[in-house]
Amino acid sequence: MGWLGALSLTAAGADEREFLTSPLTMISEIPGHPWDGKGAEEFEGPFAAALKELLAAGFPDPAGLIYQKIEIPTGSCQGDTGVVATEGWLLPAEKEGAVFAIAWNGLVYPVVRTGGPAEIEKSISLMMAATERPFGPFTWQGSESGEVLPDTIVGIHGLFLTRLKHPASVDFLLKQRDGVPKNLTLTMADEWAWNLYDRAIGSHMRGDPRLALASLQELERIRPALLKLMVPGDGEKPHADWKPLEWATQADELKAECERRIRDEAFGMMNEPDFLATNPDVPALIKALDRLAVPQDGQPGWVPFGESLIVRALVAADAKAVEPLLECLEKDRRMTQSVHYWRNFSQDRTVLGVHEAALFALEEILATNYFQVFSTGANLTKGGDAARTTMVEKIRADWQAHGKVTGMERAYRTLADDQANPDFWADAAASLFVGGENPDHSKPQPGDVLRDGRDPSVGELLEKRVTGALKKGKEVNLFDERRRCRLLSSLLAWEPDRGRKAVAKQVDAWLADGSWKQGTEPIANFVKGSVDDSPDVLRLFEAMAWSSEAHDFNDFDPGEIVTEVLVKFGDSPLLKRSREGLFTDPKSPWCLSNVSESSLSRMFEMWWKKKLMLRDPFRTALLRALAEESVAGTVMLDPGKPGKLLYHFGNSKGSIAIPADAEFDLKPGVTVKVRKKDVVAEALSKSDPRKKPDAPAKEYWWSKKKRDANIAEWINFLSGPA
């Protein structure tokens, strides 16, 4: 099959090409193109020293090579990013027809296909025309497919542009960054090394152990030289406890894993439906866990192993899978092809071990979130062997304590166990329902089998656990309240009459001692989820809506819960104060005249969506706010930096870039007062779904005449028929 796996390419242009899966690499060594040591005296500009040091360390030298259109395989911590059409410098031809090229991220790639000659000057012009500013002073874009493009603004480009003698482009590159590091050698060494490690992670995830291994071997080869270069200068440190290459925590482990996969010929992505068609038993399912390539859900987020059919099959095996899974959790050292990370643009990657998938399956079978209770890290893999051993001991003890049963019988025994972990009570309660903590009442519930007259009843146990979830003398905290709210929700769903009485009693307690302020997040979510079934929570809602503590919690946002409750229950006498003054009373944290523009925008987006702008109390609140003349803050055109607007609203200070405006009459250095009604009008304008994409939104820097005209338009709109 040659040096790359079989690949079918379309004939469409680069902009029209369909997504093409990256082919597997058939070789385990990537050639370099070392510098000959000549020409260093001609290096000029801020990157000159870094270029010389990195070329000496093995950075591929583009000088003298043909600049060509190329297509190369790429990946990321999020999965396969496909074959990317880009440009790069072709290396001299290798044996067996293999073609390699240096890409703009500083790495040498096997080339899937070459195109015609490329124009370096045109590529540089595209880079200089780029308008999107990347994160940080110098950093990656979060995706290998973006890093290899010539018009992506990253630090490595400064090395290439310096080597190719384009000082104007280097100056442009530096101007795009905020806080350019003093020690560019250290920063570029770190960026180059990271690109190698990140490519290894992405290659492994898409099942290309050869390219992953080659990347790790190159990193290992240059590591000694890089460590000598990665010494902060002039007292500068990238962060407080700078440790060079500290992010490469799994380099050795991943290298061994790649070698194992090459020996076992475990390449590519497993076709799970085809595998399951062979009717694998539990041992075969566990053996296949190393092929799980499940992308993380969101960032930050978690790898949803439950999306894997292999994991679902293990869960379906129920009790007979528990002991084999515990064995895997404790002793299996293989890796999956799934990756956990904080952000795709941060130096944080963890290839998850198969034991992570085993833990997920165990939690599903036993309906218990062991990781949340027993782990303190972002994932179990980072905790090492000690964390795994402790986890197994605790799960096995819990498994044995309740008679090694699963399903609803286990749930009942857990609820009946006075010595059980309180979080496990909440997990057991949620397992009674389809949908867990958000029951789907249209379907038969798993817990219905427990409505068999047993003593004590499930309802009695749930009520007991609600009142006994907190240890005496212990200060109530966020986790306590989250547990209590989960149990209250389950009780309300299981036995509504008993649940409403328990909710009313708990609302009385929360209001009496103000303890709800220690758990605003879970309690706000509880209010949102239970208000339809338990009107007593409206009393708590009223207190929370007028509290600054709730105001600080995003989920208690008028764009969501406050608006929804007022719309559905606004006529309730329990909400009279909120209906009449929540958005207009200066004492309210949601008084429109005192809320930030960002919060107003979120709120107004919901109001537009629910068609509330012309309904009271929303319309009245808006009209009053648009008449508020008092000052909210100030703006000033920066006299030292044209195009920069300095703003000051309360404790918020900063600057933003503003576009050229023919009607803009603000003079540099002159302070302009922004009225509260300007803030409201700007939020209205920017959230307006009727606004055409190219139509300008209201801006603070407009002239007073223009701002007043915009406000008059809003007043006219809001005064119209509902």
Side-chain angles (χ1 to χ4, degrees):
M1 189 155 43
W3 54 282
L4 283 175
L7 178 70
S8 173
L9 292 169
T10 67
D15 294 337
E16 302 173 356
R17 186 172 289 113
E18 299 176 1
F19 178 85
L20 300 171
T21 301
S22 293
L24 301 181
T25 306
M26 296 293 109
I27 56 176
S28 296
E29 185 175 349
I30 300 293
H33 191 253
W35 179 44
D36 60 11
K38 299 179 181 179
E41 66 280 358
E42 299 179 3
F43 298 167
E44 297 180 355
F47 285 89
L51 175 63
K52 180 180 178 181
E53 297 285 5
L54 265 69
L55 285 174
F59 188 81
D61 185 10
L65 298 178
I66 298 173
Y67 189 63
Q68 189 98 7
K69 293 179 180 179
I70 57 174
E71 294 177 1
I72 56 178
T74 62
S76 77
C77 58
Q78 298 163 304
D80 186 7
T81 48
V83 174
V84 172
T86 183
E87 298 163 358
W89 296 268
L90 291 181
L91 269 59
E94 291 285 320
K95 60 182 179 179
E96 300 180 2
V99 179
F100 295 91
I102 305 171
W104 277 91
N105 64 346
L107 306 188
V108 175
Y109 282 83
V111 177
V112 175
R113 185 170 67 178
T114 59
E119 301 177 26
I120 187 69
E121 298 293 341
K122 184 177 180 181
S123 297
I124 294 174
S125 296
L126 288 173
M127 183 200 73
M128 296 181 70
T131 57
E132 184 175 352
R133 294 166 60 84
F135 299 93
F138 277 113
T139 186
W140 43 95
Q141 298 296 298
S143 173
E144 187 183 352
S145 60
E147 294 284 325
V148 300
L149 300 176
D151 58 344
T152 300
I153 302 174
V154 292
I156 290 289
H157 288 191
L159 299 175
F160 286 125
L161 296 172
T162 300
R163 183 69 173 115
L164 300 172
K165 301 178 181 179
H166 284 271
S169 302
V170 173
D171 290 342
F172 169 82
L173 183 72
L174 291 173
K175 289 179 181 178
Q176 300 307 302
R177 319 306 305 203
D178 295 322
V180 177
K182 297 177 182 178
N183 191 331
L184 284 173
T185 299
L186 179 154
T187 307
M188 293 301 95
D190 186 64
E191 187 169 323
W192 177 34
W194 171 257
N195 286 349
L196 281 166
Y197 189 68
D198 196 34
R199 180 171 71 177
I201 298 289
S203 300
H204 169 74
M205 189 173 185
R206 67 175 189 266
D208 191 348
R210 292 189 177 94
L211 185 55
L213 180 60
S215 301
L216 293 169
Q217 288 173 333
E218 178 67 4
L219 178 59
E220 187 176 50
R221 184 185 69 80
I222 65 175
R223 185 185 185 100
L226 292 183
L227 290 176
K228 293 180 180 179
L229 301 178
M230 300 174 81
V231 179
D234 299 327
E236 181 191 33
K237 294 184 179 181
H239 46 72
D241 54 349
W242 170 246
K243 296 178 182 179
L245 306 183
E246 65 178 347
W247 33 257
T249 55
Q250 291 182 297
D252 293 339
E253 185 182 359
L254 182 56
K255 180 181 175 182
E257 177 70 16
C258 290
E259 292 170 342
R260 179 188 72 82
R261 288 173 179 261
I262 293 171
R263 289 194 305 271
D264 295 347
E265 298 186 350
F267 302 120
M269 310 280 277
M270 173 174 277
N271 186 311
E272 294 193 3
D274 286 354
F275 172 71
L276 292 177
T278 66
N279 297 313
D281 56 12
V282 168
L285 289 168
I286 290 178
K287 184 178 179 181
L289 290 178
D290 67 334
R291 303 300 300 280
L292 300 187
V294 183
Q296 180 170 301
D297 183 15
Q299 52 173 319
W302 308 100
V303 173
F305 280 117
E307 294 181 0
S308 165
L309 296 179
I310 294 173
V311 173
R312 300 314 307 172
L314 281 166
V315 173
D318 203 48
K320 65 183 180 181
V322 172
E323 289 296 342
L325 286 168
L326 284 169
E327 182 80 5
C328 175
L329 176 57
E330 184 175 16
K331 299 179 180 179
D332 200 328
R333 295 297 181 267
R334 295 173 300 150
M335 291 177 158
T336 67
Q337 292 170 223
S338 304
V339 177
H340 178 256
Y341 54 94
W342 174 243
R343 299 283 193 184
N344 65 344
F345 51 81
S346 66
Q347 287 178 316
D348 177 65
R349 304 282 188 267
T350 303
V351 181
L352 299 180
V354 295
H355 62 283
E356 299 273 6
L359 175 60
F360 181 92
L362 284 165
E363 291 182 327
E364 289 289 294
I365 293 171
L366 303 179
T368 305
N369 192 336
Y370 295 110
F371 180 82
Q372 178 176 310
V373 176
F374 296 137
S375 180
T376 58
N379 53 67
L380 197 60
T381 301
K382 282 188 174 181
D385 291 347
R388 293 171 64 167
T389 299
T390 300
M391 185 70 74
V392 169
E393 290 174 351
K394 291 181 179 295
I395 295 176
R396 183 167 279 121
D398 183 59
W399 167 238
Q400 294 172 347
H402 299 115
K404 294 188 176 182
V405 296
T406 60
M408 292 302 97
E409 186 58 35
R410 172 182 164 81
Y412 182 83
R413 294 187 187 187
T414 300
L415 286 171
D417 182 1
D418 292 339
Q419 303 305 313
N421 186 298
D423 282 297
F424 294 172
W425 291 335
D427 289 337
S431 72
L432 301 172
F433 309 98
V434 174
E437 294 172 36
N438 301 296
D440 182 352
H441 296 289
S442 66
K443 298 179 180 179
Q445 303 302 321
D448 287 343
V449 298
L450 300 178
R451 298 181 187 273
D452 55 3
R454 61 183 65 200
D455 184 25
S457 71
V458 170
E460 290 172 327
L461 289 175
L462 287 172
E463 185 176 17
K464 180 179 181 180
R465 298 314 171 203
V466 168
T467 58
L470 309 180
K471 295 180 180 179
K472 292 183 179 180
K474 179 182 177 183
E475 183 179 350
V476 177
N477 59 37
L478 178 68
F479 301 102
D480 292 322
E481 293 296 8
R482 182 175 293 138
R483 182 189 312 117
R484 179 155 54 186
C485 287
R486 293 178 66 198
L487 288 164
L488 276 171
S489 296
S490 296
L491 177 57
L492 193 60
W494 180 265
E495 195 172 332
D497 288 342
R498 188 189 295 269
R500 278 189 285 271
K501 292 177 182 178
V503 170
K505 182 178 179 181
Q506 186 56 53
V507 168
D508 288 339
W510 273 326
L511 291 175
D513 60 16
S515 60
W516 65 265
K517 297 179 182 180
Q518 306 303 316
T520 309
E521 175 187 357
I523 294 174
N525 284 326
F526 172 70
V527 168
K528 183 177 180 180
S530 62
V531 65
D532 287 320
D533 299 318
S534 184
D536 269 288
V537 299
L538 291 176
R539 294 187 288 124
L540 181 60
F541 168 86
E542 184 83 334
M544 296 182 78
W546 288 78
S547 168
S548 59
E549 285 83 356
H551 178 273
D552 291 336
F553 174 55
N554 289 335
D555 278 7
F556 207 83
D557 186 312
E560 296 290 343
I561 182 173
V562 174
T563 294
E564 291 176 4
V565 171
L566 280 179
V567 170
K568 294 176 69 174
F569 301 96
D571 293 334
S572 169
L574 297 175
L575 297 183
K576 181 179 179 181
R577 185 185 181 199
S578 290
R579 183 176 63 255
E580 295 181 353
L582 186 63
F583 301 125
T584 56
D585 191 327
K587 297 179 180 179
S588 165
W590 296 116
C591 177
L592 298 189
S593 297
N594 298 327
V595 178
S596 69
E597 182 195 322
S598 60
S599 292
L600 287 174
S601 295
R602 293 197 307 271
M603 185 189 324
F604 294 162
E605 284 175 7
M606 175 63 73
W607 290 10
W608 283 112
K609 187 182 300 183
K610 292 185 174 294
K611 300 179 180 180
L612 301 175
M613 291 295 184
L614 302 181
R615 287 178 54 182
D616 279 330
F618 310 101
R619 179 189 354 217
T620 297
L622 286 166
L623 288 171
R624 289 187 184 181
L626 288 171
E628 181 57 70
E629 293 281 352
S630 58
V631 176
T634 61
V635 296
M636 179 180 69
L637 189 62
D638 191 338
K641 297 180 179 179
K644 287 278 190 180
L645 188 77
L646 305 178
Y647 63 85
H648 185 183
F649 291 85
N651 295 325
S652 178
K653 295 182 179 181
S655 66
I656 56 174
I658 60 173
D661 189 332
E663 298 185 49
F664 179 63
D665 62 357
L666 186 60
K667 305 304 179 185
V670 177
T671 298
V672 173
K673 295 179 180 179
V674 177
R675 302 159 299 183
K676 290 183 176 180
K677 65 182 184 180
D678 289 319
V679 177
V680 176
E682 182 151 344
L684 276 170
S685 181
K686 290 183 177 179
S687 65
D688 189 351
R690 307 165 305 162
K691 183 173 68 70
K692 295 180 179 180
D694 57 346
K698 179 184 181 298
E699 301 288 1
Y700 296 138
W701 59 80
W702 283 1
S703 66
K704 182 176 182 298
K705 180 180 179 181
K706 189 174 181 180
R707 283 182 282 146
D708 285 342
N710 176 268
I711 292 171
E713 291 176 3
W714 280 114
I715 292 175
N716 182 62
F717 166 74
L718 293 167
S719 301

